[in-house]
């Protein structure tokens, strides 16, 4: 499909999902060779009209140059003139090309999974360097989200196979732990710029309809206390839970999730322990619901200088003097946890199921933070959520974050690569509050 047509579909996806009648288009799209019968059957397998419309639009982007004009033609034939007008406002007139000969093999859409990456690392925040970010040419803001319908009290959970239920009002709890000022005995530097990250994420997750609770400058035991309190809440009326850690980080040995996050007194809480508080055994009211963890902290002390790429992959950025890292040297502590790795209380699901941990950087490497504008990772995550949460699932948005942060450079030399451990079983679509 032409890039301009793909952008038009992406920009108007919210309206298409809201108003499109996919069932009236199947015969036309099949007859004109845009979709195969197998693709139509997969779209029909979605349980709701909205899910069918969303899948149809996503698959349409993979179907070549004829797909967009044929789609407009089918919309006209079925009387969906408002959508035709909406799409044509951003599209030059195009005539459908003749249908090519049927290939011997069916071309299926390629679904890109979220890559499995890991944590970050660095040294005590001694180096200071800013970054100038470049605007990606194909970043088109999404239209404002649709209105949410209030959820009646005592509603039953109705998860679909394809995506998590995310329409509770409010959607769930979001705990942000923001460690800025570290005690002298910890030998850790203060994290200038972290309050900027915290403010952005507090506003963002409130806009995504979460109950946000911010805790600042917590010691090791206080971090564990807050996580324990969160696990003991009744989440039965909510659909999701989010934990965000903003602190210094380090490497520890692990058998599931790498890395650890420091309290302001120095000792570090392993990420594996942080996730254990909300797993199926320790928080029964979150069983089968997505638990999201965002870690802005280093995972080690190495600095990545990157490697040479072809010119079309390279987006140079200019270094300066305001970036710091969130790393300390490798810790020798093990991750033997007070909460043992026992069988999940829900026998049909593994313990780490429905958990996603998003790290600001790859294991062993530093994570960069600009003292004036906040960390690379949080700044990008906030913007991607603002522009795309109404239309894209979380895994897709995190891949966008990975790509954009990877284009940055500190001192014109050092790089950063975010990544995630994704144990979600379904797509996750946020429900932003109407603006």
């Amino acid at each position: 499909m032409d890039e301009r047509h793909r952008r038009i579909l992406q920009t108007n996806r919210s309206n298409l999902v809201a108003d499109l009648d996919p069932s009236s288009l199947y015969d036309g799209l099949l007859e004109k060779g845009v979709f195969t019968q197998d693709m139509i059957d997969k779209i029909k397998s979605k349980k709701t009209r909205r899910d069918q419309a969303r899948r149809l639009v996503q698959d349409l982007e993979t179907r070549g140059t004829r797909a967009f004009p044929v789609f407009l033609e089918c919309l006209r034939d079925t009387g969906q003139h408002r959508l035709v007008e909406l799409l044509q406002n951003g599209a030059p007139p195009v005539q459908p090309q003749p249908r090519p000969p049927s290939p011997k093999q069916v071309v299926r859409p390629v679904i890109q999974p979220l890559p499995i990456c890991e944590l970050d690392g660095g040294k005590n925040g001694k180096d200071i360097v800013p970054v100038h970010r470049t605007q990606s040419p194909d970043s088109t803001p999404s239209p404002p989200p649709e209105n949410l319908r209030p959820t009646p009290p005592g509603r039953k959970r109705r998860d679909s196979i394809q995506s998590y239920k995310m329409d509770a009002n409010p959607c769930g709890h979001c705990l942000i732990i923001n460690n800025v000022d570290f005690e002298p005995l910890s030998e850790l530097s203060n994290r200038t710029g972290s309050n900027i990250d915290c403010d952005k994420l507090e506003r963002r997750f409130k806009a995504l309809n979460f109950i946000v609770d911010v805790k600042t400058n917590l010691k090791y035991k206080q971090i564990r206390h807050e996580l324990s309190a969160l696990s003991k809440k009744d989440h039965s009326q909510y659909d999701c839970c989010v934990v965000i850690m903003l602190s210094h980080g380090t490497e520890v040995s692990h058998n599931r999730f790498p890395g650890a996050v420091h309290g302001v007194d120095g000792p570090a809480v392993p990420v594996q322990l942080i996730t254990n508080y909300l797993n199926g055994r320790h928080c029964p009211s979150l069983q089968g619901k997505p638990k999201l963890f965002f870690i802005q902290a280093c995972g080690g002390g190495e600095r990545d200088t990157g490697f040479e790429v072809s010119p079309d992959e390279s987006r140079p950025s200019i270094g300066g003097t305001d970036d710091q890292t969130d790393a300390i040297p490798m810790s020798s502590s093990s991750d033997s946890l007070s909460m043992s790795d026992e069988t999940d209380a829900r026998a049909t699901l593994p313990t780490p199921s429905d958990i996603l941990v998003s790290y600001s950087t790859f294991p062993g490497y530093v994570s960069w933070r600009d003292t004036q504008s906040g960390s690379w990772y949080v700044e990008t995550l906030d913007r991607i959520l603002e522009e795309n949460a109404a239309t894209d699932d979380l895994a897709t948005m995190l891949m966008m974050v990975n790509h954009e942060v990877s284009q940055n450079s500190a001192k014109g030399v050092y790089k950063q690569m975010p990544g995630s451990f994704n144990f979600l079983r379904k797509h996750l679509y946020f429900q932003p509050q109407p603006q």
Side-chain angles (χ1 to χ4, degrees):
M1 177 176 287
D2 238 18
E3 183 59 32
R4 67 184 186 280
H5 292 156
R6 184 177 288 108
R7 290 185 187 178
I8 290 168
L9 289 176
Q10 291 172 350
T11 302
N12 292 284
R13 185 174 297 175
S14 180
N15 290 312
L16 288 168
V17 169
D19 299 335
L20 184 67
D21 177 15
S23 61
S24 65
L25 303 177
Y26 296 146
D27 290 342
L29 293 174
L30 184 61
E31 178 184 344
K32 293 176 173 61
V34 174
F35 285 166
T36 65
Q37 184 61 56
D38 187 54
M39 295 177 70
I40 295 292
D41 291 342
K42 286 184 178 179
I43 295 171
K44 287 181 177 179
S45 70
K46 305 297 182 183
K47 294 186 181 298
T48 67
R49 181 202 60 78
R50 289 175 61 89
D51 286 341
Q52 289 183 19
R54 182 181 289 111
R55 179 60 183 267
L56 187 151
V57 174
Q58 289 172 340
D59 287 357
L60 193 67
E61 296 178 19
T62 71
R63 301 306 294 169
T65 57
R66 297 179 63 251
F68 188 83
V70 170
F71 180 56
L72 290 181
E73 185 180 325
C74 291
L75 287 175
R76 289 191 199 94
D77 292 345
T78 56
Q80 302 185 60
H81 300 296
R82 193 188 77 83
L83 293 178
V84 174
E85 182 179 351
L86 190 68
L87 297 176
Q88 281 189 323
N89 282 341
V94 185
Q95 293 298 324
Q97 300 174 6
R99 177 180 176 180
S102 298
K104 292 182 179 180
Q105 290 185 331
V106 175
V107 179
R108 301 184 186 279
V110 178
I111 299 176
Q112 298 291 343
L114 183 69
I116 301 301
C117 316
E118 309 165 38
L119 207 91
D120 55 71
K123 289 244 184 214
N124 258 352
K126 294 180 181 177
D127 291 291
I128 304 184
V129 200
V131 64
H132 294 247
R133 293 152 183 84
T134 56
Q135 181 66 31
S136 177
D138 57 355
S139 58
T140 305
S142 298
E146 305 162 34
N147 291 335
L148 293 177
R149 290 177 294 180
T151 304
R155 58 160 178 76
K156 296 180 180 179
R157 293 185 56 80
R158 293 186 178 87
D159 283 3
S160 71
I161 295 175
Q162 295 79 23
S163 58
Y164 287 104
K165 186 180 186 309
M166 290 287 289
D167 60 358
N169 192 7
C171 188
H173 289 283
C174 172
L175 172 64
I176 302 177
I177 295 178
N178 179 31
N179 284 348
V180 183
D181 302 315
F182 287 77
E183 297 179 357
L185 291 178
S186 72
E187 299 184 352
L188 296 169
S189 61
N190 292 338
R191 300 180 60 255
T192 306
S194 186
N195 286 331
I196 300 171
D197 286 347
C198 185
D199 292 342
K200 287 178 181 176
L201 292 174
E202 181 180 5
R203 287 194 301 269
R204 182 59 47 217
F205 278 89
K206 282 182 178 178
L208 295 176
N209 203 21
F210 281 83
I211 305 166
V212 180
D213 187 17
V214 177
K215 302 294 181 180
T216 304
N217 295 334
L218 298 189
K219 299 180 180 180
Y220 171 84
K221 289 185 178 180
Q222 292 173 324
I223 292 174
R224 295 191 57 171
H225 173 77
E226 292 298 331
L227 291 167
S228 177
L230 181 63
S231 71
K232 292 174 182 176
K233 290 181 182 289
D234 181 6
H235 301 266
S236 57
Q237 292 298 308
Y238 305 122
D239 288 332
C240 183
C241 188
V242 176
V243 173
I244 300 171
M245 306 295 298
L246 309 174
S247 187
H248 283 298
T250 187
E251 287 187 277
V252 294
S253 59
H254 63 92
N255 58 23
R256 271 201 202 103
F257 300 107
V261 177
H262 287 276
V264 295
D265 54 344
V269 184
V271 173
Q272 182 163 308
L273 175 58
I274 293 170
T275 62
N276 275 2
Y277 278 101
L278 299 183
N279 70 19
R281 175 174 179 80
H282 297 111
C283 189
S285 61
L286 280 175
Q287 289 178 1
K289 303 177 184 181
K291 281 80 68 174
L292 311 178
F293 300 84
F294 298 90
I295 312 295
Q296 167 54 46
C298 284
E302 290 194 58
R303 299 184 181 191
D304 185 6
T305 57
F307 59 92
E308 291 189 13
V309 296
S310 59
D312 60 338
E313 284 286 336
S314 177
R315 301 183 193 277
S317 53
I318 303 170
T321 57
D322 294 327
D323 278 358
Q324 300 179 342
T325 68
D326 282 328
I328 71 159
M330 167 75 174
S331 169
S332 59
S333 64
S334 71
D335 64 346
S336 56
L337 308 179
S338 61
M339 294 183 176
S340 59
D341 302 323
E342 300 179 16
T343 304
D344 195 297
R346 185 171 176 177
T348 56
L349 290 177
T351 304
S353 65
D354 308 298
I355 287 177
L356 181 144
V357 182
S358 176
Y359 293 99
S360 62
T361 192
F362 200 78
Y365 288 88
V366 300
S367 181
W368 293 96
R369 174 173 28 84
D370 189 301
T371 58
Q372 304 300 316
S373 59
S375 67
W376 296 3
Y377 169 74
V378 170
E379 182 181 21
T380 307
L381 175 66
D382 175 57
R383 178 169 51 79
I384 293 295
L385 288 173
E386 179 181 21
E387 294 176 357
N388 299 278
T391 56
D392 291 307
D393 68 286
L394 177 60
T396 298
M397 290 188 287
L398 288 178
M399 195 178 301
M400 296 178 189
V401 173
N402 294 350
H403 172 70
E404 295 206 15
V405 173
S406 72
Q407 305 303 307
N408 296 339
S409 294
K411 297 183 179 177
V413 176
Y414 298 119
K415 309 293 289 184
Q416 181 175 327
M417 185 68 231
S420 302
F421 280 73
N422 186 351
F423 293 94
L424 298 181
R425 298 175 296 115
K426 309 178 185 182
H427 293 302
L428 190 151
Y429 290 92
F430 289 113
Q431 298 288 341
Q433 291 278 59
Q435 299 298 316

